[in-house]
Amino acid sequence: YVLTQPPSESVAPGQTARITCGGNNIGSKSVHWYQQKPGQAPVLVVYDDSDRPSGIPERFSGSNSGNTATLTISRVEAGDEADYYCQVWDTSSDHPYVFGTGTKVTVL
Amino acid sequence: EVQLVESGGGLVQPGGSLRLSCAASGLTFSSYEMNWVRQAPGKGLEWVSYISSGGTIYYADSVKGRFTISRDNAKNSLYLQMNSLRADDTAVYYCARDSPTSASLDYWGQGTLVTVSS
């Protein structure tokens, strides 16, 4: 199962960033999103399409339908500059964890 | 507070072996599925291996037959035995915990760097 993300996304502070994750019928799966800043471990920011772990700002939201899942970051701040990865659990495979190709978000 | 601390990384020659460890604290380790995920320099995340609380194991095709995942619940530790190492195994290796409520990875260690080079 392949998850495709755009390599990069640029957004001005205060604007909205939308990061897509494409996969065949991804809407039938639960999608999770991770943020990774340089030199740091990934951090889960959205799970099960649209839920947020404790401590993650409400500015981070997600949606999932058809062949595309989307992570939305509202009111972007400089601290949101990072790489973002989507991930699904592929129940039909013995390679259960599948990560997307990653998107570098640059805050202008 | 959940903490995962990896160790065991370093420089190894092609064809060599290395054993990574992940020490867990702040959780009932035996109850959780655990994973190894790696990231080659400048590249994306790649899932490597999974072990359930009951011992079910999965591997990525890229490491199958060369890597072995294991756990010692008495020591709250996760391991990755890596044999026949190749240059393309060079990466930061993270251990990560399965969320108990979703198929996501909710806690990650800081990673340990493995460099395969002559």
Side-chain angles (χ1 to χ4, degrees), chain A:
Chain A
Y1 191 77
V2 177
L3 296 174
T4 303
Q5 299 180 236
S8 62
E9 194 78 25
S10 297
V11 58
Q15 299 304 301
T16 298
R18 293 180 179 85
I19 304 160
T20 60
C21 175
N24 184 35
N25 197 26
I26 196 174
S28 67
K29 302 180 184 296
S30 291
V31 179
H32 319 290
W33 292 91
Y34 302 87
Q35 175 194 68
Q36 187 181 33
K37 297 181 179 180
Q40 298 184 19
V43 173
L44 181 67
V45 293
V46 166
Y47 67 96
D48 288 349
D49 297 340
S50 58
D51 291 332
R52 282 184 311 277
S54 173
I56 300 301
E58 291 183 6
R59 301 185 298 104
F60 289 84
S61 62
S63 62
N64 183 21
S65 178
N67 292 318
T68 304
T70 303
L71 174 69
T72 301
I73 311 172
S74 304
R75 303 180 299 282
V76 166
E77 302 174 357
D80 298 331
E81 186 163 289
D83 294 323
Y84 292 84
Y85 296 90
C86 58
Q87 174 253 312
V88 300
W89 173 275
D90 185 11
T91 56
S92 64
S93 168
D94 59 357
H95 310 88
Y97 278 97
V98 180
F99 287 99
T101 50
T103 299
K104 168 67 176 177
V105 170
T106 300
V107 180
L108 301 171

Side-chain angles (χ1 to χ4, degrees), chain A residues 32 34 36 39-44 47-48 85 87-89 93-101, chain B residues 35 37 39 43-45 47 50 58-61 64 94 98 101-106 108-110:
Chain A
H32 319 290
Y34 302 87
Q36 187 181 33
Q40 298 184 19
V43 173
L44 181 67
Y47 67 96
D48 288 349
Y85 296 90
Q87 174 253 312
V88 300
W89 173 275
S93 168
D94 59 357
H95 310 88
Y97 278 97
V98 180
F99 287 99
T101 50
Chain B
N35 296 265
V37 177
Q39 186 171 36
K43 302 297 184 182
L45 300 173
W47 170 80
Y50 159 101
Y58 299 119
Y59 296 101
D61 285 345
K64 196 175 293 184
Y94 297 100
D98 262 38
T101 57
S102 74
S104 62
L105 302 173
D106 60 355
W108 298 63
Q110 282 304 303

